[in-house]
Amino acid sequence: MPPRSTCVESCHPGQSMFVQPEKQVCCYDCVQCSTGRISIQSDAEQCQECPEDKYPNENHNQCLPKKLNYLSYGEPLGAALAFASLFLSTGTAMVMRTFIRHRDTPIVKANNWSITCTLLSSLLICFLCPLLFIGWPGKVTCLLRQMVFGIIFTLAVACILAKTITVVLAFMATKPGNRARSWIGKRPAVLVIIPSSFLQVGICGVWLAMAHPFLELDMHSQRDEILLECNDGSPLMFYLVLGYMGLLAVISFMLAFSARKLPDTFNEAKLITFSMLVFCSVWISFVPTYLSTKGKYMVAVEIFSILASGAGLLGCLFLPKLYIIILRPELNTRKHLVRR
């Protein structure tokens, strides 16, 4: 057998030849291919890069197709969030049905039926919003989901702000000679809910005109996955939508907190204070968590925040009233409401 002309064994697939400096070409080192590169033959002079939609296997001798990463209904996380969305929306519909059946009772009348009905309707749509975030993201869903979420949640918070103002005006109207009585009724709804909601619609319209959300394939964040996600287009506009919604919540919280010591039989300021505290806590913790995640977990964080904050509003504002309507009907009388 003739002697080998190299100083080392042949390099295996997944490796490339590296000639040692100041030595003969026949003497070389076998170097493992770097990240994203492969070699499929022995003694390869250099490694080849895998296409963007593929990644190398552990031996760096074959390119494998990347998996699509998005929050789907078929996985446990997506199914659980979808179930929670449908469960809460069904619960909201049942609360609305109960209030409609008892709309002539004193406790429902005292809570301004028009504002209460608008608030329950907006919460119902809020609980259905996560269904736009789950499943295969398309161009239409990418355009709609953040806009619908921002506008509907702003409507809900504006309803609570109008309810808080109504509570304060109702107590002020009991004082002799106070002109607040003329403002009680539909005026808070007209002067607070409609302008606040239309301002958020304007912000979303500017967002669509300047840099609307779009579908994006992120092939580089994960080694073996393609992140199929909706790019917000302009993160500044997204946080502006959240910031405006948070501003309304803070104003409502401050008003309700200042009126929390008013007699309970005249208002529900304590319930509004606690509901706004839950709402603000959820969305304050949302921002750092949202920024520290990627892919489907980023979407899951936003869905969880939507459901948690909406459930906080529904539970804090309406469960005490349901308790009186269903379990303690003897307290649902005008005599009890004006007792103090």
Side-chain angles (χ1 to χ4, degrees), residues 6 8-19 25 28-34 37-49 59-61:
T6 60
V8 294
E9 294 291 334
S10 297
C11 293
H12 300 291
Q15 299 176 333
S16 63
M17 296 188 303
F18 177 73
V19 179
V25 178
Y28 53 84
D29 294 328
C30 293
V31 181
Q32 186 73 20
C33 290
S34 60
R37 293 177 173 270
I38 65 166
S39 65
I40 59 176
Q41 61 184 15
S42 300
D43 290 336
E45 294 184 1
Q46 60 182 2
C47 297
Q48 300 175 349
E49 190 172 1
N59 296 325
H60 289 266
N61 58 6

Side-chain angles (χ1 to χ4, degrees), residues 63-306:
C63 289
L64 303 176
K66 293 182 178 180
K67 298 179 181 178
L68 290 176
N69 181 315
Y70 65 96
L71 187 62
S72 67
Y73 290 99
E75 58 182 302
L77 180 60
L81 292 173
F83 174 79
S85 174
L86 295 175
F87 176 79
L88 290 172
S89 59
T90 302
T92 306
M94 293 176 64
V95 172
M96 186 182 298
R97 180 175 178 270
T98 303
F99 270 68
I100 292 175
R101 289 182 59 186
H102 297 85
R103 62 182 177 274
D104 295 327
T105 59
I107 194 170
V108 177
K109 289 182 177 179
N111 282 275
N112 197 317
W113 169 245
S114 59
I115 297 179
T116 300
C117 188
T118 306
L119 176 57
L120 285 171
S121 301
S122 60
L123 285 177
L124 177 62
I125 301 175
C126 285
F127 289 134
L128 293 175
C129 279
L131 299 180
L132 290 173
F133 291 78
I134 307 174
W136 185 278
K139 293 181 179 179
V140 177
T141 54
C142 285
L143 282 174
L144 288 181
R145 64 187 195 180
Q146 298 291 13
M147 309 296 171
V148 172
F149 149 69
I151 294 171
I152 298 300
F153 246 108
T154 300
L155 176 61
V157 177
C159 289
I160 297 175
L161 179 58
K163 184 183 285 286
T164 308
I165 295 175
T166 303
V167 164
V168 176
L169 291 177
F171 181 77
M172 293 173 60
T174 60
K175 298 179 180 181
N178 199 299
R179 297 181 179 179
R181 183 182 297 273
S182 61
W183 289 86
I184 298 176
K186 297 183 179 180
R187 288 192 179 185
V190 174
L191 298 178
V192 175
I193 297 176
I194 296 177
S196 300
S197 302
F198 271 99
L199 182 56
Q200 186 72 289
V201 171
I203 294 174
C204 292
V206 174
W207 188 1
L208 285 174
M210 291 179 55
H212 61 80
F214 59 91
L215 181 63
E216 181 182 43
L217 296 176
D218 185 357
M219 299 185 178
H220 305 291
S221 296
Q222 301 292 334
R223 171 180 172 270
D224 56 348
E225 293 178 336
I226 299 176
L227 301 183
L228 189 62
E229 57 188 6
C230 292
N231 190 310
D232 290 332
S234 173
L236 176 62
M237 296 302 297
F238 173 65
Y239 290 110
L240 182 61
V241 168
L242 287 182
Y244 175 69
M245 185 175 67
L247 176 63
L248 295 179
V250 170
I251 294 174
S252 180
F253 171 76
M254 293 175 64
L255 284 176
F257 184 79
S258 63
R260 73 190 186 283
K261 293 184 179 180
L262 297 178
D264 291 340
T265 50
F266 286 103
N267 67 84
E268 54 179 4
K270 291 181 180 179
L271 298 179
I272 296 176
T273 301
F274 190 69
S275 66
M276 287 293 97
L277 183 62
V278 173
F279 183 87
C280 294
S281 300
V282 169
W283 288 105
I284 288 174
S285 60
F286 160 78
V287 175
T289 309
Y290 183 80
L291 293 176
S292 61
T293 54
K294 282 187 174 294
K296 61 183 178 183
Y297 298 107
M298 177 185 288
V299 177
V301 167
E302 186 169 358
I303 293 175
F304 177 80
S305 300
I306 293 173

